Amino acid sequence: MDKYFRVYKDIDGSTIFRYHFPSLIELVEYLKTAEPHREIFPTLYSELPDDPHEHFRGESLEDTLNHLIYGYDQTYEKYREKSKMGEIEIIQESDFGRMKSVRGYSGSRVDINAYLNGEEKCMLRAVRGAPKQFKTINYDLSHKSHSSESEIFNRGAICMLLINALEKNNISVNLNCFHLLEQKLKSKDGKREIIYITINLKDVDMALNEPMCVGPFSRVEFLRRVIFRLVETTPVSPDWRVSHGYLLKDHKEIERIIGAQPGDLTFHELGSMGIKGEDFITDFETVIKYFELEDVVKLRKTLK
């Protein structure tokens, strides 16, 4: 457990239970063996069958964990269809004034080491080129219980499309997926306990694995099954047993805890971003406006 979990105090005295999983596979393997604290959670929400009269719909815990590894074929096909909405163009100012030397068969001077090593491309010439750029996207996996499947799907698909567009335009993306829950403790004068979870789905030097992102980004049961199960395996106060925690709502506090930096793009809880789930292109344009990127991200819509 120590491999993925630690406990520390926040600056306001809150206790933070911190999980970090280097991959989705390691998260699934952990959940398949971790034992819930039944003395704290006599009712395991992660295992409860769904009431057909309730809003929530989704797979069982076992099916969810299996699909996170083996894929959601139908959901991924739905994403691929949405990805054909048009061409996303990233307009950026590149520093083409910066010069770099490259080796070739001809040039203005000799690379002595290459020449002595017998390499044919031993001549150096100066070229102008844009330096590699980097962008961090922070993605809050949370959503409210009444959020629709189309709202959840659209936000996840928009994030994946934006990542692909950025990387096609020489901007490498570091994807930071997180989830934050809090509980005020009646027994400790309102002090809080916070569960802070991060899952590494993409490093800056990795290609985006779209099928791997589909479950956390787009499936309604991910929070109910996976996140609730993590809560149930955490040695928190009994005050968590009724609600399994509440979402943090203060964006500034969220960004402080996750270490967001100026220039990061942070996908907050989807309701606060104005996503409605009715029309995909409208939701895409709403997200671009939310990030104030109207002058940077252009969508050339596909004519049907």
Side-chain angles (χ1 to χ4, degrees), residues 103-104 109-124:
R103 286 208 313 265
R109 56 195 177 92
V110 178
D111 184 329
I112 299 299
N113 290 330
Y115 175 78
L116 294 176
N117 288 330
E119 297 182 21
E120 294 183 359
K121 295 182 179 181
C122 61
M123 301 300 293
L124 291 172

Side-chain angles (χ1 to χ4, degrees), residues 230-241:
L230 270 176
V231 172
E232 291 162 356
T233 65
T234 307
V236 290
S237 162
D239 290 324
W240 288 76
R241 72 175 53 177

Side-chain angles (χ1 to χ4, degrees), residues 44-69:
L44 299 178
Y45 287 2
S46 63
E47 295 182 2
L48 279 180
D50 294 323
D51 185 336
H53 301 292
E54 293 293 332
H55 175 79
F56 175 82
R57 298 290 185 272
E59 298 181 329
S60 67
L61 174 63
E62 181 180 1
D63 288 342
T64 298
L65 295 181
N66 287 334
H67 273 126
L68 288 175
I69 298 301

Side-chain angles (χ1 to χ4, degrees), residues 1 5 17-19 21 27 30-31 34-47 61 179-183 193-197 222-247:
M1 186 174 183
F5 177 74
F17 298 89
R18 175 74 164 96
Y19 287 96
F21 294 95
L27 167 61
Y30 170 79
L31 289 179
E35 290 294 328
H37 292 275
R38 294 181 181 271
E39 73 282 5
I40 302 174
F41 300 100
T43 301
L44 299 178
Y45 287 2
S46 63
E47 295 182 2
L61 174 63
H179 189 76
L180 282 161
L181 292 168
E182 67 174 346
Q183 183 66 259
E193 289 181 341
I194 296 173
I195 295 180
Y196 172 27
I197 303 161
F222 184 80
L223 294 190
R224 171 73 175 271
R225 302 308 185 192
V226 174
I227 299 299
F228 277 15
R229 191 60 160 195
L230 270 176
V231 172
E232 291 162 356
T233 65
T234 307
V236 290
S237 162
D239 290 324
W240 288 76
R241 72 175 53 177
V242 175
S243 66
H244 278 49
Y246 298 91
L247 299 179

Side-chain angles (χ1 to χ4, degrees), residues 21-28 199-201:
F21 294 95
S23 69
L24 192 60
I25 292 175
E26 288 176 86
L27 167 61
V28 172
I199 307 166
N200 183 23
L201 296 180

